[in-house]
Amino acid sequence: SGNGLRTTDGGEPIGFEIAGRDGGFRPARATILENGNALLIRSQQVDSPTQLRYAWANAPEVNTVNSEGLPLAPFHTNAGIRPQSLPED
């Protein structure tokens, strides 16, 4: 079983969106942290995230896989969202 995340193209993970209190989802930037065991998701368009989703489309463009090359499954959650004030790149 694979553990840790990486991208198939060595680039930034794509396919993530976050929403704030208004419920409107916006594209988000993702960064793989902690040797592939955590993701930092952020968007300049969302101040206080309340929801996160990944690959939430009929034919999503995605590139995130585990160490065995298996794709990260689509998901949607509002549990465990920890808003943080971080500088945008």
Side-chain angles (χ1 to χ4, degrees):
S1 68
N3 55 31
L5 298 174
R6 63 179 177 85
T7 59
T8 55
D9 57 8
E12 186 174 88
I14 56 175
F16 291 89
E17 297 177 300
I18 56 177
R21 284 170 254 171
D22 68 355
F25 280 90
R26 306 289 187 271
R29 294 186 63 193
T31 303
I32 297 174
L33 305 173
E34 299 178 21
N35 296 318
N37 293 316
L39 287 166
L40 172 64
I41 313 295
R42 61 200 183 282
S43 173
Q44 289 183 330
Q45 299 172 328
V46 180
D47 292 329
S48 298
T50 60
Q51 299 179 70
L52 168 65
R53 65 185 182 189
Y54 171 75
W56 207 253
N58 288 332
E61 185 178 333
V62 295
N63 64 347
T64 307
V65 297
N66 70 9
S67 62
E68 300 293 322
L70 297 173
L72 180 61
F75 68 86
H76 173 268
T77 186
N78 60 357
I81 302 295
R82 295 182 306 187
Q84 298 178 6
S85 296
L86 298 168
E88 275 294 322
D89 312 91

